[in-house]
Amino acid sequence: MKTCQFASICIFMILLGSQNVVAQSKSKIVGVWYNTSKTAQIEIMENDDEMIGKIIWIEQDTDSIDNSTDIVNSDTSLRDRPLMGLTILEGLKYNDGIWSDGKIYDPQSGISYTCELQLVKKDVLEVKGYLGDSWVSRTVEWNRVKK
């Protein structure tokens, strides 16, 4: 009888520990990331059961046009919204090491894409954007901002 109780406790502890490992893996992308050209920083955070990402810093270029609003958005009613604080990643769900089923908005083109994220190294995030079918895609790498 004591062996059965001990086995039950061991199984319970293993199951409890595996839930913790999944939660830790799921949140590995939480933090601040540079975009590919290091002209913006995106903070990725948990929001309910999905991951979202917001622009928290933009490099200001004095020689170019104002990059503080969403001036190239295909929806003309959104062109006055500020880029700072804009949610550009949303709907990402964790599944087997990949955050997928999300959308990414590119403020340089004004287009939204289906996307998925995958951590390829501790501080390197692979961002894949799909336009239409998955065979039309672009992949970039974002780097974690060092504190």
Side-chain angles (χ1 to χ4, degrees):
M1 188 66 167
K2 290 196 185 258
T3 305
C4 185
Q5 287 176 334
F6 179 73
S8 296
I9 291 172
C10 287
I11 290 171
F12 176 74
M13 295 303 284
I14 289 170
L15 290 175
L16 185 64
S18 68
Q19 290 295 325
N20 192 25
V21 169
V22 169
Q24 288 175 359
S25 299
K26 181 177 154 183
S27 64
K28 282 185 177 180
I29 64 169
V30 169
V32 180
W33 299 85
Y34 277 114
N35 66 346
T36 304
S37 58
K38 295 196 187 245
T39 56
Q41 291 179 3
I42 297 88
E43 182 176 12
I44 298 178
M45 62 198 87
E46 291 184 61
N47 184 31
D48 296 325
D49 63 340
E50 67 180 34
M51 295 292 191
I52 63 169
K54 294 184 177 197
I55 297 174
I56 62 165
W57 174 82
I58 302 171
E59 181 178 70
Q60 296 296 323
D61 185 2
T62 56
D63 296 334
S64 69
I65 59 174
D66 181 28
N67 63 356
S68 62
T69 58
D70 194 9
I71 59 173
V72 297
N73 196 305
S74 57
D75 183 345
T76 56
S77 68
L78 297 176
R79 290 185 179 170
D80 288 336
R81 69 181 177 173
L83 291 177
M84 194 67 68
L86 182 66
T87 299
I88 63 166
L89 284 170
E90 59 187 352
L92 292 158
K93 308 269 189 201
Y94 182 78
N95 185 18
D96 232 4
I98 297 175
W99 291 262
S100 58
D101 299 328
K103 294 277 185 196
I104 186 167
Y105 174 71
D106 177 11
Q108 289 183 326
S109 67
I111 300 172
S112 292
Y113 303 89
T114 302
C115 78
E116 67 181 34
L117 310 178
Q118 183 172 13
L119 202 58
V120 291
K121 294 181 187 170
K122 179 183 174 204
D123 294 328
V124 179
L125 186 63
E126 185 179 79
V127 180
K128 290 183 183 178
Y130 302 97
L131 188 58
D133 294 326
S134 61
W135 54 272
V136 180
S137 67
R138 179 174 175 218
T139 302
V140 296
E141 288 185 348
W142 289 359
N143 293 292
R144 192 182 300 271
V145 173
K146 305 281 191 233
K147 292 183 181 181

